[in-house]
Amino acid sequence: QNYLFVDSLYEYEVQVPKWLTINEDVENHVFGGIFHSTDNTENSIYIHGFKKTEYKTFNDFKFTFIEGNVSGKESLFDLNFVSKGKNLSKNIENGVRCKLMFERNNIEHHYEFILLETSNNYLWIYFEATPETYPENIDKFDDWMEGLTILDIK
């Protein structure tokens, strides 16, 4: 049975599927969780909220998480990640979507980032998987996104 998670600070709600084990970091404004692939590898989905005052513009936000990350260099959002490349970003309603690859602790991970702009907030929504489990589980991320409602539409 799914249940509805509502974040009144960052003004969104999301249907939480039963296959997701919840992991919430209230102090850092992160909600999401982990789930297992058929080979028992952990994959994850998270939403991280930011007030607009933390970035000058949406383009600055996008630069930090997508555009400014150069292959072979440390990421701009976390120095523990080294960029291994990215696909072209796609514009979506109120934001952008992009597949990125990073290495952390000598292990490569594939990510799908969605960055959204609302009236008062920016949301960084991401799916993390191994190169092998990414194709198997990207549909779960898409299902998660279908259950997301922005309450503070720009």
Side-chain angles (χ1 to χ4, degrees):
Q1 178 79 341
N2 293 355
Y3 77 92
L4 185 66
F5 173 82
V6 179
D7 187 318
S8 57
L9 181 63
Y10 291 97
E11 302 175 279
Y12 69 86
E13 61 185 30
V14 65
Q15 290 289 328
V16 180
K18 61 184 175 185
W19 45 259
L20 191 71
T21 302
I22 299 302
N23 185 6
E24 183 175 10
D25 181 349
V26 175
E27 184 177 317
N28 291 308
H29 316 292
V30 179
F31 176 79
I34 61 169
F35 62 95
H36 291 89
S37 294
T38 53
D39 69 356
N40 213 28
T41 300
E42 285 186 358
N43 289 199
S44 60
I45 298 173
Y46 286 99
I47 300 175
H48 192 147
F50 299 89
K51 290 296 178 187
K52 280 192 165 179
T53 55
E54 295 181 56
Y55 293 89
K56 290 180 185 176
T57 65
F58 185 70
N59 282 336
D60 289 334
F61 181 64
K62 188 168 62 171
F63 186 83
T64 299
F65 290 95
I66 296 176
E67 305 301 335
N69 291 296
V70 177
S71 188
K73 305 270 187 192
E74 294 171 334
S75 79
L76 298 179
F77 60 87
D78 186 329
L79 298 179
N80 294 311
F81 287 75
V82 174
S83 177
K84 293 297 182 181
K86 62 182 175 258
N87 293 350
L88 290 176
S89 299
K90 297 178 205 167
N91 289 325
I92 59 172
E93 186 177 352
N94 297 315
V96 65
R97 181 175 181 151
C98 187
K99 179 180 180 183
L100 302 97
M101 289 69 71
F102 291 99
E103 186 175 282
R104 184 181 69 217
N105 300 326
N106 296 318
I107 299 171
E108 186 172 327
H109 295 267
H110 287 205
Y111 293 84
E112 190 76 18
F113 284 6
I114 293 180
L115 306 180
L116 297 176
E117 179 179 16
T118 70
S119 294
N120 300 307
N121 306 297
Y122 296 131
L123 298 176
W124 172 32
I125 307 164
Y126 58 93
F127 162 61
E128 176 185 13
T130 65
E132 297 77 24
T133 60
Y134 179 94
E136 174 187 333
N137 291 314
I138 188 66
D139 289 343
K140 284 188 174 183
F141 180 64
D142 291 335
D143 290 346
W144 164 271
M145 289 304 300
E146 286 181 20
L148 176 71
T149 303
I150 303 302
L151 304 173
D152 168 32
I153 295 175
K154 184 175 181 266

